[in-house]
Amino acid sequence: MPIMQKRLNYRPRIMEDREGLEVIDLSRLRGNQSTFQKIMGDVSKKSAAQQVVIGGATGWVSGYLFIKVGKIAAISLGTTLILFKLAQHQGYININWRRVNQHMDEARRTLEREAVRQYPQMMDKAKKFVQENMFLATSFAGGFFIGLAF
């Protein structure tokens, strides 16, 4: 018996479709949730106090990680730029800055077009989420700013 079947005590139901092919029904396996999902459940259906605690804690962790990862990214990017300029100055590499600028302008125009097309949809989704989960959203924002301070 496969490991999945032993662990769940469930044998998938095997059916045949119209063409005579075997179809394995795994719908009961979808109900198997991770430990995190079992503990948290649907946060929007929890009490206001639980939403504030969960939002504040996740916001604080997100803000803290944002600062730490941002510092590492800034140091990495700065070091890379310095090394490129040093290598260019020494003659190891030759950068065609005109071509780089053309590609940057093209990427900027594409990004602007996509942002104009998708921005209203994203803002509507964000507004709807904040309205439906006021306690969670505001405590996340507060926790995020506290995390930025650390």
Side-chain angles (χ1 to χ4, degrees), residues 77-95 97:
L77 182 64
T79 304
T80 303
L81 289 174
I82 289 171
L83 289 175
F84 268 125
K85 282 305 256 182
L86 184 64
Q88 181 188 13
H89 182 69
Q90 295 294 325
Y92 291 113
I93 59 174
N94 187 15
I95 299 173
W97 289 107

Side-chain angles (χ1 to χ4, degrees), residues 7-22:
R7 189 169 6 135
L8 298 174
N9 270 339
Y10 168 68
R11 187 176 183 114
R13 194 172 53 177
I14 299 175
M15 303 174 287
E16 287 194 22
D17 67 354
R18 292 181 194 140
E19 288 93 28
L21 299 173
E22 286 186 2

Side-chain angles (χ1 to χ4, degrees), residues 95-131:
I95 299 173
N96 185 349
W97 289 107
R98 185 175 48 92
R99 189 170 178 199
V100 170
N101 287 333
Q102 286 175 346
H103 285 287
M104 290 296 288
D105 288 339
E106 182 181 320
R108 181 185 49 81
R109 283 192 297 272
T110 304
L111 182 63
E112 285 175 352
R113 254 187 320 225
E114 287 298 314
V116 167
R117 189 172 64 85
Q118 294 182 4
Y119 180 75
Q121 296 168 351
M122 289 190 305
M123 286 306 294
D124 290 340
K125 288 179 183 178
K127 190 185 300 182
K128 181 180 176 187
F129 177 81
V130 170
Q131 288 173 346

Side-chain angles (χ1 to χ4, degrees), residues 4 28 36 45 48 61 68 71 77 93 97 107-108 124 137 144:
M4 183 75 73
R28 291 170 96 196
F36 180 75
K45 294 180 180 168
V61 169
K68 295 300 177 186
K71 285 180 183 177
L77 182 64
I93 59 174
W97 289 107
R108 181 185 49 81
D124 290 340
F144 185 81

Side-chain angles (χ1 to χ4, degrees), residues 55-82:
T58 55
W60 177 75
V61 169
S62 298
Y64 182 77
L65 291 176
F66 183 79
I67 289 295
K68 295 300 177 186
V69 171
K71 285 180 183 177
I72 292 170
I75 290 170
S76 300
L77 182 64
T79 304
T80 303
L81 289 174
I82 289 171

